[in-house]
């Protein structure tokens, strides 16, 4: 009886395996030797698809950018609604893959999905009437905000131990030990609060832009 063939090595398979490794163990866990072992192939075979580890991590980062929904910039939603919905989708992708955020934070570089994302945001803002310079700034500030929210949990930064927050030292943190147990709820609310405040500020600027146009 013929032995089952191993799945053919492909770029997609390498990226999927590397992404799973980054998700589970972080960026430092990725090496060509480790990836080859995970894939059941020899190390040199990876070089037919990627020349370096950095290229693999760039591809992993781009695969995460490719998970971000961009349809809101094409289906007629107004610029504010589109930015809100895009930011929610963007954060969801980063929240699912937080360990790759430091690579994404370098900017899109030559990554296709990352460039499509930047192009969609910038193009939608210009089409809505924002001057090009301000459209660029909007894309940048949204990226800062979303990536910052994905880098760590505010609520998760507090320990579940009331003794850590002695009222004599921290008179306003008497309930801080309860934050961790509501981490997801608190972080979601903080994100929405910040996003609404950011968009409210942009809406006021937009009215000024329209009046002076």
């Amino acid at each position: 009886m013929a032995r089952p063939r191993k799945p053919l090595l492909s770029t997609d398979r390498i990226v999927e395996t590397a992404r799973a490794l980054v998700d589970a163990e972080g960026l430092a866990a990725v090496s060509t030797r480790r990836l080859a072992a995970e894939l059941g192939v020899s190390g040199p075979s990876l070089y037919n698809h990627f020349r370096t580890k950095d290229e693999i991590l760039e591809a992993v980062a781009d695969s995460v950018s490719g998970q971000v929904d961009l349809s809101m910039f094409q289906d007629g939603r107004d610029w504010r609604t589109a930015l809100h919905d895009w930011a929610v989708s963007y954060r969801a992708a980063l929240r699912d893959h937080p360990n790759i955020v430091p690579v994404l934070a370098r900017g899109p570089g030559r990554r296709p999905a990352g460039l499509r994302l930047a192009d969609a945001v910038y193009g939608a803002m210009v089409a809505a009437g924002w001057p090009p310079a301000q459209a660029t700034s909007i894309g940048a500030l949204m990226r800062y905000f979303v990536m910052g929210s994905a880098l760590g949990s505010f609520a998760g930064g507090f320990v579940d131990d009331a003794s850590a927050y002695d009222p004599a030292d921290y008179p306003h943190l008497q309930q801080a030990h309860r934050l961790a147990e509501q981490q997801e709820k608190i972080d979601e609310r903080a994100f929405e609060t910040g996003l609404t405040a950011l968009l409210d500020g942009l809406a006021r600027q937009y009215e000024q832009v329209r009046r002076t146009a």
Side-chain angles (χ1 to χ4, degrees):
M1 186 174 181
R3 297 175 60 185
R5 297 176 61 188
K6 290 182 180 179
L8 291 175
L9 189 62
S10 66
T11 297
D12 287 346
R13 188 168 166 239
I14 295 170
V15 171
E16 289 171 5
T17 302
R19 186 173 60 229
L21 194 55
V22 171
D23 288 345
E25 301 182 33
L27 295 172
V30 178
S31 68
T32 53
R33 178 179 294 181
R34 177 72 184 277
L35 272 176
E38 294 285 335
L39 290 161
V41 299
S42 63
S45 63
L46 296 178
Y47 296 117
N48 294 323
H49 301 271
F50 296 99
R51 291 174 296 177
T52 65
K53 167 186 167 178
D54 284 343
E55 282 192 1
I56 295 171
L57 291 177
E58 287 286 311
V60 170
D62 210 40
S63 73
V64 173
S65 293
Q67 296 174 12
V68 181
D69 183 14
L70 300 177
S71 64
M72 64 285 297
F73 297 118
Q74 303 161 349
D75 61 11
R77 274 172 263 191
D78 65 272
W79 69 267
R80 177 180 172 139
T81 301
L83 273 184
H84 174 278
D85 295 348
W86 168 72
V88 170
S89 177
Y90 194 8
R91 179 172 179 262
L94 300 189
R95 186 181 55 205
D96 289 343
H97 308 283
N99 291 336
I100 200 64
V101 171
V103 179
L104 286 164
R106 300 172 191 164
R110 297 178 182 272
R111 299 193 295 266
L115 290 171
R116 283 193 294 271
L117 188 154
D119 181 73
V121 176
Y122 176 80
M125 295 305 101
V126 171
W130 286 96
Q134 285 178 278
T136 299
S137 296
I138 289 170
L141 72 90
M142 293 297 291
R143 191 164 71 89
Y144 300 153
F145 176 71
V146 175
M147 285 195 177
S149 74
L151 281 174
S153 164
F154 170 79
F158 293 86
V159 298
D160 185 15
D161 179 3
S163 67
Y165 308 104
D166 188 331
D169 296 320
Y170 315 108
H172 306 295
L173 296 180
Q174 295 180 33
Q175 303 300 315
H177 64 285
R178 297 182 176 178
L179 294 177
E181 68 184 31
Q182 301 183 56
Q183 176 178 329
E184 184 173 350
K185 180 180 178 180
I186 291 170
D187 289 343
E188 287 290 338
R189 188 169 62 220
F191 176 76
E192 281 293 339
T193 298
L195 183 56
T196 298
L198 189 157
L199 294 174
D200 283 348
L202 286 177
R204 288 193 291 273
Q205 290 186 35
Y206 185 70
E207 291 304 315
Q208 295 175 357
V209 167
R210 301 299 288 174
R211 283 197 297 268
T212 58

